[in-house]
Amino acid sequence: MRFRALILATTIALALVASACADDDANGGDDTTTSSEEPAETTSITAPLEEETETTASPVTSSDEAGPPSGEDIEWVTHEAGAGCVCTDGSEYIYFSRTNNPEKVLLYYQGGGACFSEEMCDFNSGSYDATIDPDEHPSDPGSGIFELDNPNNPFADWSIIFMPYCSGDVFLGDTTNDYDDDGDGEVLTIEHRGYRNALHG
């Protein structure tokens, strides 16, 4: 009798253990399901990050494509140097500028011949310009470094200050000379004010 009671108790205990294991397996299955869902959550987090990266990169590309303004699109500005700055014939001294890249600035002094006699300093000698035309900008027509619509020109995107030459003194004089080579009394008065003009560059 006792033996049968023992077998019955053992059978009930095994049934309870089996039931508990079944519950654990079920819970384990739930854990497995939860674990398999975690990568889905990770994926949903990763996707927006990729979109943000693309959005951030887009403006940089747009900015790079824009680049500095092309040379031909920038107008020259005419400046009056002011009192005391004149060409050889006494006309007003003017100079030109164009603003582009602020980190690249070219200060250009135009070349020309020096004169020190009535014949050489004659306004029609052709060795220099005795006056400056405000409409004759350096790039009209442009050549060399002033061919600003040429993509191969390394100065096309530079800011430039152009100092015209009209003093016949290589930008060194600051005096008035009266030339009368043959002594006939016909005096050619020349304003050599290149040094003063150059200070405005």
Side-chain angles (χ1 to χ4, degrees), residues 81-104:
C85 297
V86 294
C87 294
T88 55
D89 62 356
S91 60
E92 184 178 27
Y93 182 75
I94 60 176
Y95 61 99
F96 309 99
S97 70
R98 65 187 296 273
T99 303
N100 198 355
N101 191 329
E103 297 181 357
K104 300 177 181 179

Side-chain angles (χ1 to χ4, degrees), residues 9-92:
T10 303
T11 302
I12 293 173
L14 288 174
L16 291 174
V17 170
S19 176
C21 290
D23 290 340
D24 289 342
D25 289 342
N27 291 335
D30 291 343
D31 292 341
T32 303
T33 303
T34 304
S35 175
S36 64
E37 290 176 357
E38 288 178 0
E41 293 177 3
T42 304
T43 303
S44 65
I45 294 172
T46 304
L49 290 177
E50 292 175 355
E51 292 177 1
E52 290 176 6
T53 303
E54 292 176 0
T55 304
T56 304
S58 180
V60 174
T61 303
S62 176
S63 176
D64 291 344
E65 289 176 355
S70 58
E72 70 271 24
D73 295 334
I74 301 175
E75 295 183 358
W76 288 91
V77 178
T78 303
H79 304 272
E80 298 176 355
C85 297
V86 294
C87 294
T88 55
D89 62 356
S91 60
E92 184 178 27

Side-chain angles (χ1 to χ4, degrees), residues 84 86-90 113-117 120-121 128 165-179 188-197:
V86 294
C87 294
T88 55
D89 62 356
C115 70
F116 38 84
S117 69
M120 294 176 66
C121 290
Y128 70 99
Y165 179 68
C166 67
S167 55
D169 57 10
V170 200
F171 288 106
L172 297 175
D174 191 13
T175 187
T176 301
N177 277 358
D178 293 328
Y179 295 104
L188 177 63
T189 300
I190 296 293
E191 296 288 347
H192 291 299
R193 302 293 178 180
Y195 173 74
R196 190 176 298 186
N197 296 344

